[in-house]
Amino acid sequence: MLAERVKKIKPSPTLAMDAKAKALKAQGLDIVNFGVGEPDFDTPEHVKEAAIKAIKDGFTKYTPVGGIDELKEAVVEKLKKDNNLEYSKEEIIVSCGAKHSLYNIAQALYGPGDEVIIPSPYWVSYPDQVLLNDAVPVFAKTYEEDSFMLKPDVLESKITKKTKAIILNSPSNPTGLTYDKKTLEAIAEIALKHNVYIISDEIYEKLVYDGIEFISIASLGKEIKDKTIVVNGLSKSHAMTGWRIGYAAGPKDIIKAMTNIQSQSTSNPTSIAQKAAVAALTGPQDFISVMHAEFDKRRKFLVEGLNSIEGVRCLKPTGAFYAFPNVSRLYGKKTGTRQINSSIDMAMYLLEDANVALVHGEAFGDDNYIRISYATSMENIKKGLERIKEAVSRLS
Ligand SMILES: *Cc1c(COP(=O)(O)O)cnc(C)c1O
């Protein structure tokens, strides 16, 4: 008999969709994969070299549980330089990916009956990590009209005596939208008033467009910094998803608890990946601007293409590498015996009849949308757009 908690969760639907697309591809089908959640760039060469050197130097043993000093120092420097945030090494933990840092936070903070507010649409792991720790996810809806930013009055209406934390993700996966300062200030004020923590997932920080400046909510003042745990990592900024290095910064007692938890589960993140992360954070950063420029070009092309399709409406994303078009105006339409009534129907139709893989919005908590990742070549984006357009034109 499995434990009760396992019954409450499901495998990551984004990873499942990606696996399905890859399986069809392996069967020889020409699939355009818009389902991916990782940069289609290679890890920078100097980062790889640092890992190779670590292996050759024999840096292949256990390290301190929460990461080597050298890497913590690099993270401290990064947070100071990029985010205007001052932390000491005792306020930093390095984990096996940002997802792992988030999981450690969930274990350290949430208990039975605690409520955690999650703005929806949300990244798929937030609710399940809450559930795995016997707490209750409370969804706070955000709207396209507000660029998918959590409205202060909606947030306030969800807060109860049991509220422990609010999870923020800016830029957002799946919406691709970035919070503005005014909204962050309003959220910070509410969090302080009700004494709840903010968990700020900043993994897409380096991918903001249209001249928008990324702001960490923790940088808005000392008080809110003391109630915030910042989560970030190398996966998206340096195309290092497979290396599994992420980190969190926050109050010492929480970081210490997370480190104890980590000491009883994974122990340290991989030694050689830590050396690679040091190189990524302290070495040349020009890789990021090259990747950024390419994503920006694709973003513009994709969103324009989507909006040219009858029945599809897409906000221009300001961050990350996702577009999140509203396809609900196509619901109720048919082709042959197939009727499209939901985002799952739409995703299945596009996969099976158009060979385009993407993720249904329902997986992220909003059935009116689909998520399209543009972490794929311009050529694929062109081909995928044509296929979607043709498939949608067959609906009536
Ligand atoms: C990719 C992603 C992460 C996880 O990144 P890892 O460091 O690879 O664990 C966390 N949050 C969001 C929103 C993501 O899209």
Side-chain angles (χ1 to χ4, degrees), residues 37-39 95-102 122-126 169-174 201-204 231-236 240-247 320-322 371:
E38 61 185 349
S95 309
C96 313
K99 190 187 267 188
H100 184 217
S101 279
L102 287 162
Y122 47 77
W123 183 51
V124 293
S125 292
Y126 300 143
N169 176 215
S170 172
S172 155
N173 175 5
D201 180 349
E202 306 183 352
I203 195 99
Y204 292 103
V231 176
N232 208 329
L234 286 299
S235 283
K236 312 292 160 59
M240 290 176 68
T241 46
W243 298 78
R244 310 310 303 131
I245 298 288
Y247 53 87
F321 41 69
Y322 308 102
R371 190 194 74 172

Side-chain angles (χ1 to χ4, degrees), residues 6-44:
V6 181
K7 298 179 193 160
K8 296 191 234 168
I9 62 157
K10 52 189 182 314
S12 163
T14 50
L15 294 181
M17 198 45 139
D18 196 44
K20 189 161 183 170
K22 282 181 179 143
L24 288 174
K25 211 165 197 165
Q27 288 170 24
L29 283 176
D30 168 33
I31 302 284
V32 171
N33 193 352
F34 284 148
V36 278
E38 61 185 349
D40 57 317
F41 293 83
D42 198 5
T43 304

Side-chain angles (χ1 to χ4, degrees), residues 251-269:
K252 256 182 218 163
D253 56 331
I254 297 176
I255 297 298
K256 186 159 187 283
M258 291 167 66
T259 309
N260 290 343
I261 290 161
Q262 192 161 296
S263 81
Q264 299 296 7
S265 50
T266 59
S267 298
N268 61 274

